[in-house]
Structure formats: structure tokens, C-alpha cells
Amino acid sequence: ATANKAKNEKFITKFAQVYTPIVVFLAVLVAVLPPLLMHEPFHKWIYRALILLVISCPCGLVISIPLGYFGGVGGSSKRGILVKGSHFLDILAEVKTVVFDKTGTLTQGVFKVSKIVPKNNFSQDEILRWAALAESHSNHPIAKSILEAYGKEINPSAIQSQEEIPAQGIKAKIEDHLIFVGNDRLLHEENIEHDECQFNGTVVHVVIDKAYVGYILLGDEIKEDAVKAVQDLRSLGVKNIVMLTGDNKAIAKNISEKLGLNSYFAELLPEDKVSILENLIKEQRSGKVAFVGDGINDAPVIARADVGIAMGAIGSDAAIETADVVLMTDAPSKVAEAIKMGKRTSKIVLENIGFSFAIKGVFIILGIT
């Protein structure tokens, strides 16, 4: 936290370096000039000069500002929000755009196989088996859900090779067959003919030896407090709430409408998320942009945002390490609470500065006169 001090903290330190010599010089003038010019007794004006020094000492400012931020960081951590420096409390107070990742952030990130649609004389069991074999070495939530639905032991000797294609799926050699398991982008990349592209759910296509054999549809539920999170952010003055996802447009549109978001961007690669966030930052005329995510592929976007927020409970180590703020529970409503803490802390710090200056100004005049 000491490496990320807020601007107000740095200002007070610099201010004290200038303010203290000026006050000491003023005290010398108070001690010397009235006795010399007005023939007043020295002891009276030396006493007043000492009073002036005691009153004007900037300890109230220098102590109250860091303690204000210390209270903000501590108060946030009591609420399960870890802020990695007072600087980020100031940025949170200025947030006007919040960008959410979808899976694991606004949604549960726990997929369930809801439907298996076979093609070309294949059965549902066969499609699920080939998909489970291909996904057996992946730790992606989709892979885990397919393996859970399959529910049988995987024979490792059947898998000759396996390659994970980022943001597309899996390419594997199993029992001398070439298997592709992945999304629509993978099918287009490999020129595989298929009927449908848009599904109201996450879809995993299965291809055996370049022949399309069917797809598996998976469902992912919206988190209970996601709607509340959006409402709370609106009440705090956040004008623009955006969702980024690698899923198809149909899913993104459905979730966006349910939550009442301003906009969404679908079918994104990790690098696409970074470029979209950079555009949002450029378009932001006033205020700051926050990004909220949980996955490994969210780490670059978290790093690029004015303030990066990671989901701590199910978030990847990369996302948590990169983030400026970590939510220890995976409730999106905590984002609004973090912004509220930032606003409250900034308000208290500004009150401290104003109160200290006002009191010192009044008592310096009284001390001299």
C-alpha cells in the first residue's frame, strides 16, 4: 500500500516541506519585528511566536490524511474487499464506467450440460464420449462440466495427442481419429460445414475426422446479486456498464437485456478485450474505467484498466496478482461497495484537509493578535 500512495497523501508531504519553513520564518518575524518597531517587550512577542509555531505545526494534516486512507483500506478489508493501496481508493471514487467479464463474474461460471444434439447417425452417448476424451486434460470450466456429465473413467492410453487452441477449443488425436471439440470459430477456422451458428447457451461442437457429428449445449446461470450490482452502480453515478465475453452474440444479448446493461461485446479473444477497453478509456471524457474479471485471460485487461478488480474466491492467480482490488467473495455487488468505500474515503480525507486548514487559519490569527 505504501508504494501506491494517493495524490492527496503526496500533496500533503510536499505541502509540509514548503509550509513548515514559511511558518518558522513567520514566527521569527512575529518574535522580532513588533519589539523593534513598536517598542513592545520581547518576552511577550517571543511567547506569541512560540504559540504560532505550536498552532501552525502541520501534524494534523500530515497525520489525518494517511490515517484517512488507512481507515479506508482497513474498512474495505473488513467487508471482504482488498485494496492494494490508497491511490486506488481515489480512482474508485472517480469511476464512471464499469466493464464486466461475463463467465464467472456476472454468471456462476459453473456450466451444466443441458442438451446433446447428434448429427450424421451418431448417438448422444458417442458425442459425449468423444468430447470427454478430448477435454480430459483441460481445466476449463466447460471441459469440467462435460467430464462431469460423462461420469465415466477416462482411459489415458486412448489419447495419442491433445492441443488446446486459445479461445477456440481442443484438437486431439484419439484412437487414430482426428477430433475437434470447440466453438463456432474453430469450425470456421477448419472449414467444417455445419448448420447453426447462434445458440441461446454455450455450445461445444464435435467433429470427427473433419465430419460434423453434433453439438453439446451448456447452460450458465446469472449470479443472484448481478441485477442488484447493476442497480447499485447506477445509484452511485456509474453511467456506463459494459459486458465483454468470448461467447456468441445470442447469449451476450440475452444476459445484457436481463441485467439492463448499456452495451456488450461478444465473440472476443483476450486481445480483443484489451483493445475494446482501450477504446472505452479514450472515449471517457471524465471519470475512470474499472474492469472486473476472474480468469487468466482477464489479467491483461485488468492490468490495462484505470482500476482492475478481480474475483478472489474463484479467480485465477494471474488475475488476483494483477488486480488493484480483490473481492474475496465472488459477488458482483461488491464492486459497488468498493466504489462506495472509495467515495466515502475521499470525502473524509477532503473534510480532514478543509477542517485542518480552517482551524489553523483561525487560531494563527488569534495567536498573533
Side-chain angles (χ1 to χ4, degrees):
T2 54
N4 293 295
K5 285 189 176 182
K7 287 180 183 178
N8 286 331
E9 283 186 86
K10 293 176 181 176
F11 161 73
I12 291 303
T13 305
K14 290 177 182 177
F15 173 81
Q17 290 171 354
V18 177
Y19 170 82
T20 306
I22 290 173
V23 168
V24 171
F25 181 68
L26 183 63
V28 171
L29 294 180
V30 169
V32 174
L33 289 182
L36 293 178
L37 298 177
M38 298 185 294
H39 305 290
E40 293 270 342
F42 266 99
H43 72 273
K44 176 183 175 182
W45 286 99
I46 289 171
Y47 185 71
R48 285 187 178 180
L50 292 171
I51 289 171
L52 172 65
L53 280 177
V54 173
I55 292 168
S56 60
C57 177
C59 58
L61 282 170
V62 175
I63 291 171
S64 70
I65 308 311
L67 281 181
Y69 285 110
F70 188 76
V73 172
S76 298
S77 66
K78 281 182 181 179
R79 292 163 174 80
I81 302 163
L82 302 186
V83 183
K84 297 182 182 179
S86 50
H87 168 59
F88 303 117
L89 283 169
D90 275 353
I91 296 175
L92 282 168
E94 297 175 38
V95 167
K96 295 296 179 190
T97 296
V98 175
V99 183
F100 284 99
D101 173 53
K102 181 185 78 69
T103 307
T105 305
L106 289 173
T107 64
Q108 299 285 358
V110 180
F111 293 92
K112 296 283 183 184
V113 173
S114 58
K115 191 177 182 182
I116 302 172
V117 179
K119 303 277 185 178
N120 298 326
N121 299 319
F122 275 78
S123 68
Q124 290 183 350
D125 290 341
E126 286 176 308
I127 290 170
L128 188 58
R129 177 179 176 270
W130 287 112
L133 285 167
E135 298 275 16
S136 60
H137 291 155
S138 174
N139 63 354
H140 194 280
I142 290 174
K144 290 177 180 176
S145 66
I146 289 172
L147 289 165
E148 187 182 332
Y150 181 57
K152 298 175 186 176
E153 197 171 330
I154 300 291
N155 180 13
S157 62
I159 305 161
Q160 290 145 299
S161 67
Q162 188 185 48
E163 179 191 351
E164 194 155 340
I165 304 165
Q168 293 185 15
I170 301 283
K171 176 184 177 182
K173 189 79 178 291
I174 302 169
E175 296 174 0
D176 295 324
H177 292 286
L178 180 62
I179 311 294
F180 289 104
V181 176
N183 58 23
D184 194 59
R185 195 182 288 116
L186 177 63
L187 299 189
H188 288 298
E189 192 78 25
E190 298 295 331
N191 297 315
I192 308 295
E193 290 187 12
H194 56 292
D195 302 330
E196 300 172 75
C197 289
Q198 294 296 327
F199 299 85
N200 193 15
T202 301
V203 68
V204 175
H205 299 284
V206 181
V207 177
I208 301 174
D209 295 327
K210 295 282 185 175
Y212 185 67
V213 300
Y215 63 84
I216 300 169
L217 202 63
L218 302 104
D220 184 17
E221 294 180 357
I222 294 172
K223 287 186 177 177
E224 288 180 9
D225 67 336
V227 174
K228 182 180 182 296
V230 173
Q231 291 171 347
D232 289 350
L233 288 170
R234 300 261 188 235
S235 67
L236 289 169
V238 176
K239 296 175 182 177
N240 193 21
I241 304 174
V242 183
M243 181 180 73
L244 308 184
T245 178
D247 269 333
N248 65 55
K249 289 177 183 177
I251 299 170
K253 184 182 179 183
N254 181 37
I255 290 172
S256 178
E257 287 174 352
K258 283 182 179 178
L259 296 178
L261 307 180
N262 293 81
S263 58
Y264 64 88
F265 297 87
E267 299 176 2
L268 301 176
L269 295 168
E271 56 267 30
D272 296 332
K273 291 182 180 181
V274 176
S275 61
I276 287 168
L277 187 83
E278 286 177 342
N279 289 335
L280 289 169
I281 292 171
K282 287 175 187 174
E283 291 167 8
Q284 189 80 19
R285 293 179 183 176
S286 63
K288 301 293 185 181
V289 177
F291 179 83
V292 190
D294 70 305
I296 291 172
N297 61 0
D298 293 329
V301 209
I302 287 172
R304 182 63 189 86
D306 292 323
V307 58
I309 303 173
M311 295 289 187
I314 63 168
S316 71
D317 289 347
I320 292 166
E321 183 68 26
T322 311
D324 309 310
V325 179
V326 181
L327 309 179
M328 295 314 294
T329 62
D330 290 320
S333 58
K334 286 286 182 182
V335 177
E337 202 170 333
I339 291 173
K340 192 175 180 181
M341 287 298 295
K343 286 180 181 291
R344 189 177 175 194
T345 302
S346 293
K347 182 184 174 186
I348 289 170
V349 166
L350 290 173
E351 284 172 356
N352 283 351
I353 293 171
F355 191 70
S356 296
F357 276 129
I359 293 296
K360 286 188 187 300
V362 169
F363 279 89
I364 284 172
I365 293 166
L366 289 174
I368 294 171
T369 59

